Every structure is written in structure tokens, then in C-alpha cells.
Amino acid sequence: MTSNSVASRHWLIILTLIGSPATAYTQEVEENRLDEIIVSATRLETTVLHAARSISVVDQQHIQNGMQQLSLDESLAGVPGLYMQNRYNLAQDLRISLRGFGARSAFGIRGIKIIVDGIPETLPDGQAGVDSIDLGSTNSIQVLRGPSSFLYGNASGGVIMIESESGSRPSFIESNLAVGGLGFQKYQLKASGAAGKFDYLANIATQKLDGYRQHSASKGTLLNGRFVYRINTDDSLTLVVNSSDQPRAQDPGGITATQVELDRKSARAANLLYDAGEALDQQRVGVVYKRDRAAGRFSIRNYYVWRDFSNKLPFESGGVVDLDRFFYGFGASYTFGNVVPEQLELLLGFDIDRQNDNRKRFDNELGAIGSLTLDQREKVGGNGLFVQSAYEFNEHWDITAGLRYDSIDFDVSDHYMEDGDDSGAIEFDQLSFSIGVNRNFEQGVLFATIGSSFETPTTTELANPDGSGGFNQSLQPQTALNYEVGFKTGTARVFFEVAAFHIDLKDELVPYELPGSPGRTFYNNAGKSTRNGIESFVSWASLGGFGIDVSLTWSDFKFDDFVDDNGLNFSGSKLPGVPDIFGHLSLNYKNSKGLSVVFETSYSGSLLANNANSVKVPDYLVSGLRVNYEIRKGQLLWRPYIGINNIFDKQYNSNIRINALGGRYYEPAPERNIYTGIVIRFQ
């Protein structure tokens, strides 16, 4: 039986499951639990059900209980519209695509706004990383799907908002010890408590992974803390601190189909020769002040981040990057209270963010640092003003709207004059908007939105293809206009959501490699692109502890008008790196005696690896199993757990490198591997 026929058979089963919970809902209507799930990623707080846009919320139990926590994709695998790759190459970061935004990323996160405890993890230039996110102390994750620049400005093709745990009563100390295949080791210690007006959460975790392929080892330590002082019933002050030390993350590189057949575990020869990989050291501190009174709600944030980053690339000329980064920001918002009509919500705010990079490049002399080839200071300033509003006409109709103006300034000062002075500046200005309408029925909510987004090239993407310093002045931001319609309904045991969208893009940013710099990515603009898609999600929980979660995404992303910098015409081609169809099925069971079992299956349809659409990567179906058992003895809780990744030992690729030279598209995923651990909590 072919892989396609196997996948088709599995999807017939999944589609049947999608239909059955929805039918069960029509037979019994219960109190709606979705009115109690508050989301803040929309800036104006609302509920999952009444947000006039697609939004998903993942809770602490799903994030932490039994998860290996190698990467964010483990927690977000069931979110429709969100396609993720590259869990096992920690030198390249997770590649996240949300409705196609972020698909171009060669490393790090592009096109999606990442916010952690109210502090942006996304830089003013639009680049973000997830290497400092501590899943071991994460309480919830909100995913806002679709263009959201009217909320957060640059690189808001979607929003991922992460909230750490708060201090708890009674206090506790918790340890988590885990080991597993691929040389996996993890040790974690967490403490939480509260006293009077003060509560705290502190977590430290260290992780080591030898990896599946040659030259793919990594190790690192994370420290995360959240401290809240409640000044009075109306005012609070939150301090968040985070430190990430990752001295080693090797990069095995992409390999050809022939090399995959010969040895799936092998690394690219050049990556071994030049010792490709990265190291980083980052510290973040932020303060958030909130005041909540009848006249209005006021919030101020201030943060500072220091990041030292070094990277060895698999080529000689300029193949060593040394980056010393400092970025910081300040922002405030005010939501009017009883000074406006009761049916109106109105919020005003601003964001000011600054990025200061000292970037140097050296020759890579077989893994050793050679001669200096680039030395420049890159500054990026982002300023944004926004207004958000919501108006409830009556019990059946309400409308939301938002408007934001952003100014993004790039400035480069060249300190390496041997090849001339490449100093320069670029400025981008953009006005973003959104309008959403809800029609509230007794059985659910029908919503429709229209909104815009924009995304500037990052400082890395603005690199000149000719090898000189400065910025590529010909590269333009990409802009998008999003139309969406959807329906949500739910009870205490069933939730169903479906959304359809259409996106028109101009100047889409597309990656490519040059023969003179294999392994280094440059960018150009596609003239026009369109994206169409349908996302659906069903969740059902029985009274007996059994539950099913199913998500399914269909999409059609293509270039309408695209002639690249080399004169090649790709008009009509599909967007590489994202499958037309993908989905996730989770079967879970939990009983009153402490047993918890989760079986998960993820399906990825076939995808294309290059702009020409000449290389097709086969579809795959990969499954995993997690089992927990809680034992309570007085003040002690013991929770041993075991997990199996790729339980049926399928061969697939954990990442595809888009438009890689020489056919080096493939990063093979590990075979079946097991991890086990135990959580011990003293309360």
C-alpha cells in the first residue's frame, strides 16, 4: 500500500471523528464554558467565543504534563492553521508558519509576533526566537490566527502570546528529572508561593541532547521568574526575569535525497568541515504595571534584553557571525471605563521599541575564526500608535475595530572601510486596520473580519547579495489584506470552530541561496500572492474522562506574479514549505485515580521545496504516546511519566530547507525514541 493511500485511509477516519462530536453537540446544549476563557492577545479582553477572529488557547496541563518540552510545537501541534517544523535542530530554531506567514524563515521566527508575559520576544525589525521560552513554567499559550498588525505592528501575520505561571497558595517546590533516547537529559527545579501582597514563581531547567544526526548536539540552561506585588486591590506590579545560556547547538545542515537514502543520520560535509552551529547568552528583564479602576484600566510595560550570539556558517568568506545585541522598549495603554457608554469599549496606546546590534563577520577557517570581513552597527527603531474599540449594538450584534500607525527606521553605520563606506538608512511607514462583526446566536457565534498587516525585512534579510555591507535598498516590506469568516460554538463538553480566509499579498518576501554563499540565505520580493484556506477544530470531552481533539487545515497558497532577481518567472507556482493539507488528532483519557494517557497523530500532506515547484516532499503521518500517573501522599505528589515519539517508526523529514542549493532540502527526523521522567512536588 502506498504512503498516499495509507494517509487517505487515516484521514477518512479523522474526518469521521470531526463529524461525530459536532453531531453530539446538537443533541444536548449545556452551559457555555467558553464565556469563562478570557483572552488578552486581542488587547481588549474578551472570551474565546466572542473574539471576532480565530483564536486558540492551550492550557498548562496540555503544555506541561508528560511533554518532553524540546520545542514549542509539542504544545501547539493541535492549533489549526499553524504549521511547524524543525523540532530537532536547535541551532536553527523552530520554523513556525501561521497561514503561510513565517514559512520563508531560514532560522528564527518571521512574520509572527511572539509575546512572553507582556514583553515582546519579537524585535522591532520583525525577527523573533523561541530559544529563551521556558515551557516548564508556562501557564497558557494564546494563538491569534491571521494578520494582526493593527494590534502589534510589524511582523503580525499572527500572534503567539505566552503567560508564565503565577505564584500559588499553598506554596510548593517541584523537581522534574527526565532522560531518554538521542542522549536526552533534562533537570528542572521550580518553586512557587505567595505571602501577603507578594507572590512568586521561579524555575530553572537544564537540558542536553546528543541528537539523531551527526553534528546535532545541544545543551543549555534556562532560568525564568515572575514576581507580582499587589499594591492594593486596584494596582499591581509584575517583574519578569529570564536568562538563557546555550553554549552549544550544532547544525547538521540540509542534505540531498541521495544522501538521505545512504545515511539518514549523516550531516552535510561542509557543516562538519566548518563546524556549523551557534551559541547564545541572553538576559531579559521587564516590568509591567497595571491599574484597574471604574474610570478605566491602565497598563505600562518597560523591558530590556541583552543577547550575545555567535554563529558558524558552512562556508569560508564571512562564515563566522558575532552579534552583540541590546533591545529595549516602553509602552502603555488605557482602556476607558465608566466615562464612556456601557456598550462601548475604547482603548488607546503606544509602543516604542529599540534595537541596537553590533554585527561582525569573520572568515570561517575550517571552524576557526579568521580575518574580519564586516563590522557594522545596526539600529532599528519602532514607534506605534493604536486605537481599539468594541461596540455592542444589542444581544445579537457587536462590532470591533482597530487602527494603528507604525514607523520603522533602519540605520547602519559601516565600521569596516576596506571595501568602502556602506552606511545607510531605510524608513518604512504603515497604517494598519481591522474591522470585525459578530452575529450572536443561541447556539454559537458567526464572525467576519477584514484586516491588514505588514512585515519589514529583518536586518539579516536586508543583507546585500553582492556581499557588501549596509542594507539592500531594493527590498520592500510585504503587505497583506485578510478577509475571514467563521463560526464558533461550544458547551462544557464540546467546542467546534471553522474559519475560511482569503489573503492578498504584495511584495511577499521569498528566500533563496547564491552559488557563492551556499548555506547563506538572501531575499527578494514576489509581486503578488494569494492565500486561501479553511481551518477547523473540534474538541469533545466525555463525563467518563475520555476526550478527542481534532484539527484540520486546508490551504492554497500561490504566487500570482513573481519574477525573481535572477529573472526566473515563478508566477502561478505554489508557496514552498507549507502543505496544502495538515491536521492533528489527539485521543486522551484521564481518570480519578491519577492515570492520564494521550495518543497523538499528526498528518502533513506533501509540500514543495522550491519556488519552481520541481521538488515534491512526500506526505507523512507520525504518532506519539504519553502516559502519566499521579500518586498523592500527604504533602507529596509523585508523577512518573513516559513518552514515545514516532511510535510507528516512520521515516519523514523534520524540516525542509526552502530553495536550498544543490538539492540540500532535507533534514531527516529521528526514528522511534522514548523518554521517561518523574515529577516530585512538595506542597
Side-chain angles (χ1 to χ4, degrees):
M1 183 177 290
T2 66
S3 62
N4 286 334
S5 62
V6 172
S8 299
R9 178 168 54 84
H10 279 281
W11 276 105
L12 284 174
I13 298 172
I14 291 175
L15 290 171
T16 302
L17 289 171
I18 289 179
S20 58
T23 305
Y25 166 74
T26 62
Q27 298 171 354
E28 181 180 5
V29 178
E30 301 176 16
E31 183 180 355
N32 198 322
R33 66 180 178 88
L34 300 177
D35 284 332
E36 302 174 0
I37 303 177
I38 304 298
V39 293
S40 54
T42 50
R43 288 213 185 252
L44 279 176
E45 288 190 351
T46 183
T47 64
V48 170
L49 189 65
H50 290 97
R53 52 200 310 108
S54 299
I55 189 166
S56 304
V57 179
V58 182
D59 62 20
Q60 178 181 341
Q61 180 174 345
H62 184 79
I63 298 166
Q64 294 190 30
N65 284 11
M67 287 283 190
Q68 192 172 12
Q69 299 174 13
L70 275 181
S71 183
L72 193 62
D73 68 313
E74 296 173 75
S75 302
L76 301 181
V79 175
L82 190 65
Y83 186 70
M84 295 167 288
Q85 294 189 80
N86 216 28
R87 178 188 300 181
Y88 295 99
N89 186 342
L90 301 185
Q92 293 289 315
D93 257 342
L94 189 67
R95 188 159 72 86
I96 300 178
S97 170
L98 188 50
R99 295 186 177 176
F101 294 98
R104 75 178 191 271
S105 177
F107 65 91
I109 311 299
R110 304 289 192 276
I112 302 170
K113 201 78 171 186
I114 309 291
I115 301 170
V116 182
D117 293 327
I119 304 301
E121 191 70 23
T122 302
L123 295 163
D125 73 350
Q127 178 182 341
V130 293
D131 41 36
S132 64
I133 293 175
D134 179 24
L135 293 172
S137 61
T138 295
N139 179 63
S140 68
I141 303 175
Q142 301 175 29
V143 181
L144 194 61
R145 312 194 309 268
S148 307
S149 286
F150 76 100
L151 290 168
Y152 296 103
N154 188 21
S156 296
V159 180
I160 298 178
M161 178 173 282
I162 298 166
E163 288 288 332
S164 298
E165 297 177 54
S166 297
S168 63
R169 296 175 188 266
S171 60
F172 70 82
I173 297 176
E174 179 181 287
S175 65
N176 182 3
L177 310 176
V179 295
L182 312 179
F184 171 69
Q185 298 178 29
K186 184 168 186 175
Y187 310 102
Q188 175 183 330
L189 184 64
K190 179 164 59 176
S192 175
K197 298 181 177 181
F198 178 74
D199 66 64
Y200 65 90
L201 183 285
N203 186 62
I204 185 170
T206 181
Q207 178 179 290
K208 178 179 177 292
L209 185 71
D210 292 339
Y212 171 68
R213 298 172 60 200
Q214 286 180 285
H215 200 72
S216 60
S218 64
K219 63 179 180 180
T221 300
L222 271 173
L223 172 66
N224 193 54
R226 177 171 175 163
F227 309 91
V228 180
Y229 180 67
R230 307 187 190 284
I231 302 169
N232 51 49
T233 56
D234 300 325
D235 300 73
S236 67
L237 188 66
T238 301
L239 171 68
V240 292
V241 294
N242 180 278
S243 178
S244 178
D245 178 23
Q246 300 179 36
R248 182 181 64 176
Q250 296 175 327
D251 180 11
I255 57 178
T256 65
T258 301
Q259 191 172 349
V260 172
E261 289 295 324
L262 291 173
D263 185 359
R264 295 179 56 83
K265 296 183 178 181
S266 64
R268 182 190 172 205
N271 286 57
L272 294 173
L273 186 64
Y274 291 100
D275 191 26
E278 69 174 38
L280 71 90
D281 183 25
Q282 176 176 299
Q283 294 79 41
R284 180 177 72 233
V285 59
V287 178
V288 179
Y289 168 75
K290 292 184 178 181
R291 166 174 284 192
D292 190 352
R293 295 190 177 180
R297 298 191 301 274
F298 182 56
S299 175
I300 300 176
R301 65 169 174 84
N302 183 216
Y303 71 94
Y304 302 89
V305 181
W306 299 264
R307 185 179 179 95
D308 292 326
F309 174 82
S310 60
N311 187 21
K312 294 179 182 178
L313 300 170
F315 52 86
E316 180 179 356
S317 180
V320 175
V321 179
D322 182 78
L323 181 67
D324 183 9
R325 170 172 288 160
F326 174 55
F327 67 100
Y328 59 96
F330 179 80
S333 65
Y334 183 77
T335 305
F336 291 86
N338 55 18
V339 297
V340 297
E342 183 179 356
Q343 63 268 36
L344 174 67
E345 285 188 277
L346 182 63
L347 177 147
L348 301 174
F350 68 88
D351 294 319
I352 298 173
D353 301 288
R354 296 292 182 266
Q355 175 182 343
N356 193 331
D357 294 351
N358 288 319
R359 185 185 303 273
K360 294 181 180 180
R361 298 186 77 104
F362 303 85
D363 285 339
N364 186 341
E365 297 181 350
L366 303 181
I369 298 176
S371 301
L372 180 70
T373 62
L374 182 142
D375 183 1
Q376 61 188 32
R377 179 184 291 271
E378 302 163 353
K379 294 183 178 181
V380 186
N383 302 302
L385 295 171
F386 56 89
V387 56
Q388 311 291 326
S389 63
Y391 187 81
E392 184 179 350
F393 289 96
N394 51 49
E395 61 179 332
H396 298 297
W397 292 95
D398 53 74
I399 185 171
T400 59
L403 189 67
R404 178 176 173 123
Y405 171 76
D406 283 279
S407 174
I408 314 293
D409 302 321
F410 291 78
D411 184 271
V412 58
S413 299
D414 191 356
H415 297 159
Y416 182 75
M417 300 299 180
E418 292 186 17
D419 56 355
D421 188 354
D422 293 316
S423 300
I426 306 176
E427 181 178 350
F428 302 118
D429 299 306
Q430 191 70 35
L431 190 66
S432 307
F433 77 95
S434 178
I435 299 174
V437 178
N438 276 0
R439 174 59 168 94
N440 303 304
F441 299 94
E442 184 176 347
Q443 291 82 15
V445 175
L446 179 69
F447 69 91
T449 65
I450 178 173
S452 62
S453 72
F454 77 101
E455 187 176 339
T456 68
T458 68
T459 55
T460 304
E461 294 169 347
L462 281 166
N464 277 303
D466 61 10
S468 63
F471 292 141
N472 182 357
Q473 298 284 337
S474 66
L475 207 57
Q476 298 297 316
Q478 72 175 36
T479 58
L481 189 60
N482 178 77
Y483 306 87
E484 180 177 4
V485 61
F487 180 74
K488 308 175 191 177
T489 185
T491 70
R493 294 197 291 117
V494 178
F495 173 57
F496 173 75
E497 175 189 27
V498 62
F501 64 86
H502 170 82
I503 305 175
D504 291 317
L505 293 99
K506 293 182 179 180
D507 297 318
E508 181 167 0
L509 292 160
V510 183
Y512 66 96
E513 290 185 4
L514 287 174
S517 302
R520 187 179 181 189
T521 306
F522 299 95
Y523 293 83
N524 52 20
N525 292 113
K528 293 182 180 179
S529 307
T530 56
R531 298 177 185 173
N532 298 297
I534 300 174
E535 301 164 352
S536 62
F537 177 77
V538 175
S539 180
W540 171 72
S542 74
L543 294 175
F546 181 75
I548 301 173
D549 297 323
V550 185
S551 66
L552 181 63
T553 301
W554 170 85
S555 60
D556 180 20
F557 302 159
K558 66 179 181 179
F559 301 119
D560 295 324
D561 179 15
F562 179 25
V563 179
D564 74 0
D565 290 350
N566 297 316
L568 298 175
N569 192 339
F570 298 117
S571 301
S573 295
K574 287 181 174 291
L575 179 73
V578 182
D580 288 346
I581 186 170
F582 61 92
H584 184 78
L585 166 67
S586 174
L587 307 175
N588 52 81
Y589 172 76
K590 186 175 183 179
N591 65 22
S592 59
K593 297 181 179 180
L595 177 65
S596 174
V597 181
V598 178
F599 175 81
E600 294 182 309
T601 293
S602 293
Y603 173 74
S604 173
S606 61
L607 57 84
L608 300 160
N610 58 359
N611 292 341
N613 292 177
S614 60
V615 178
K616 187 176 182 179
V617 181
D619 63 349
Y620 65 85
L621 194 70
V622 62
S623 305
L625 178 69
R626 303 194 309 274
V627 180
N628 296 272
Y629 189 73
E630 286 193 1
I631 305 168
R632 295 181 180 270
K633 297 273 188 185
Q635 293 176 291
L636 277 177
L637 179 146
W638 303 73
R639 188 170 69 241
Y641 61 89
I642 186 170
I644 307 175
N645 297 317
N646 193 6
I647 192 169
F648 299 118
D649 206 20
K650 298 293 185 179
Q651 290 190 353
Y652 69 102
N653 295 291
S654 69
N655 186 42
I656 297 298
R657 299 204 176 198
I658 300 172
N659 293 325
L661 282 177
R664 299 177 290 96
Y665 305 111
Y666 308 99
E667 294 196 53
E671 54 208 16
R672 182 191 301 115
N673 61 93
I674 301 173
Y675 64 92
T676 184
I678 184 169
V679 173
I680 304 173
R681 173 183 288 204
F682 176 76
Q683 185 167 284

